[in-house]
Amino acid sequence: MAADPKVIVMGEDVGTLGGVFRVTDGLQREFGEARVIDTPLAESAIVGTAIGLAMRGYRPVCEIQFDGFVYPAFDQIVSQLAKLHYRSAGRIRLPVTIRIPFGGGIGAVEHHSESPEAYFCHTAGLKVVACSNPHDAHHMIQQAIRSDDPVIFLEPKRRYWEKAVVDPRPLPDLVTGSVDAVDAAGAAVGLHRSVVVRAGTDATLVGYGPTVRTCLDAAEVSAADDDRSLEVIDLRSLSPLDLGPVLESVRRTGRLVVVHEAPSNVSVSAEVAARVTEAAFYSLEAPVLRVTGFDTPYPPARIEDHYLPDVDRILDAVDRSFAF
């Protein structure tokens, strides 16, 4: 916001309160009410206004307070935001970033723990990304805002409290939006690139957002208890998918387990499984397995632990893979 006066933040309680999760805390004091805007409780109006602002040269960043609140804005997102660039033959660009806290695990009430990513991944014209750690949260949001495409930016709400040392310095290519983040080894990472976050040789785990940490925990337990080396890949970008590292990994390990909180039916994991089967069928030693939420509405908070993928469910899938 300091670098680009055309970047504005808008959403319910993003200003005075600093957002429900305090992500925008202090921004209104620093940049004023004209750039950090507390909106009415009207998600369709928030996104519709952002579309108009983007057409006039601004870069709006919209916050949807909780994942389950995005549906009133769904028509604006899929019918207008996603299609105007194509409809105008490229003359109109809509650099709108829509931040959505998503997923469960915080003991919230109904409509506050959903995983709506598949709806947006299915929509041509939208980019969909999900950060999983403080480093990516810092760098990917800047990449998303600088992108000339509309970006659905998914933030795993149960990972908000994780802390890490983050190098805030932008890399030289930050302005272009092509590359501005670095992985643990110091290599540059673009917004739409997947990353190997733990090397392994025996099987591949793929996750994104909140489940990356769960996959890493499962890999730790598997190494200690079963002497298995599990490779963990963070997809980071859900649309477009970068399956290059996944395919390279599967060709070495022969086994793949995909993990996410959303239901399995017509999901990101289904797409990953289909593409990997098409491209690396003869490398697979077992079918691609999935560990996901169940095909039900998200349950009451007291039983959400039974719904969410955990270490035991992931390791059970790994065992089933080795049983083939």
Side-chain angles (χ1 to χ4, degrees):
M1 293 185 73
D4 186 351
K6 293 294 187 179
V7 176
I8 60 175
V9 174
M10 53 197 299
E12 299 160 10
D13 299 319
V14 298
T16 302
L17 184 64
V20 170
F21 297 100
R22 305 299 186 267
V23 174
T24 56
D25 190 29
L27 290 182
Q28 192 176 76
R29 291 191 298 273
E30 183 174 355
F31 295 102
E33 295 182 1
R35 293 189 62 194
V36 182
I37 304 166
D38 281 320
T39 67
L41 305 183
E43 287 77 14
S44 180
I46 293 169
V47 176
T49 301
I51 292 171
L53 287 166
M55 293 175 72
R56 299 295 293 175
Y58 289 89
R59 290 184 178 270
V61 181
C62 304
E63 177 181 299
I64 303 297
Q65 204 168 66
F66 282 91
D67 35 42
F69 300 173
V70 73
Y71 303 116
F74 195 74
D75 179 53
Q76 289 284 6
I77 294 171
V78 303
S79 299
Q80 306 300 330
L81 183 64
K83 293 181 171 62
L84 275 170
H85 182 69
Y86 185 86
R87 187 187 303 156
S88 66
R91 291 188 296 272
I92 296 175
R93 293 186 176 184
L94 294 174
V96 177
T97 300
I98 300 179
R99 296 179 41 243
I100 306 176
F102 84 122
I106 65 168
V109 296
E110 189 178 16
H111 307 308
H112 289 67
S113 300
E114 300 182 18
S115 298
E117 57 267 26
Y119 297 114
F120 302 113
C121 293
H122 183 72
T123 303
L126 296 177
K127 301 294 179 65
V128 184
V129 300
C131 57
S132 68
N133 58 75
H135 177 277
D136 278 355
H138 174 83
H139 288 285
M140 289 173 69
I141 190 63
Q142 296 182 62
Q143 288 173 302
I145 293 169
R146 284 172 169 81
S147 173
D148 285 334
D149 296 312
V151 178
I152 304 296
F153 193 89
L154 300 168
E155 302 172 3
K157 61 175 76 76
R158 64 175 162 139
R159 305 302 181 197
Y160 273 137
W161 295 274
E162 290 189 4
K163 294 179 173 57
V165 176
V166 174
D167 187 346
R169 295 175 299 173
L171 297 181
D173 288 337
L174 179 62
V175 175
T176 69
S178 59
V179 169
D180 77 336
V182 293
D183 63 15
V189 180
L191 178 62
H192 299 295
R193 297 292 302 275
S194 57
V195 172
V196 176
V197 293
R198 179 188 174 104
T201 57
D202 295 334
T204 304
L205 303 181
V206 169
Y208 58 85
T211 61
V212 174
R213 169 50 54 194
T214 314
C215 289
L216 288 168
D217 292 342
E220 290 281 354
V221 173
S222 185
D225 294 352
D226 303 318
D227 197 29
R228 285 176 180 160
S229 174
L230 305 184
E231 185 149 290
V232 180
I233 298 176
D234 183 354
L235 285 179
R236 301 174 77 251
S237 177
L238 310 184
S239 182
L241 281 168
D242 173 27
L243 293 183
V246 178
L247 292 170
E248 192 278 331
S249 179
V250 168
R251 288 178 179 129
R252 285 187 291 101
T253 68
R255 292 176 168 82
L256 175 61
V257 176
V258 189
V259 185
H260 59 61
E261 292 187 12
S264 62
N265 188 45
V266 196
S267 62
V268 173
S269 63
E271 182 68 19
V272 172
R275 292 200 198 181
V276 169
T277 301
E278 289 172 359
F281 178 78
Y282 291 106
S283 297
L284 289 168
E285 300 290 339
V288 178
L289 299 179
R290 298 183 288 160
V291 180
T292 70
F294 301 113
D295 293 326
T296 67
Y298 196 87
R302 288 190 177 183
I303 59 172
E304 69 178 350
D305 287 345
H306 298 284
Y307 178 93
L308 295 172
D310 60 12
V311 169
D312 287 340
R313 286 178 61 193
I314 293 171
L315 293 182
D316 176 69
V318 173
D319 288 341
R320 287 187 284 120
S321 180
F322 276 91
F324 278 94

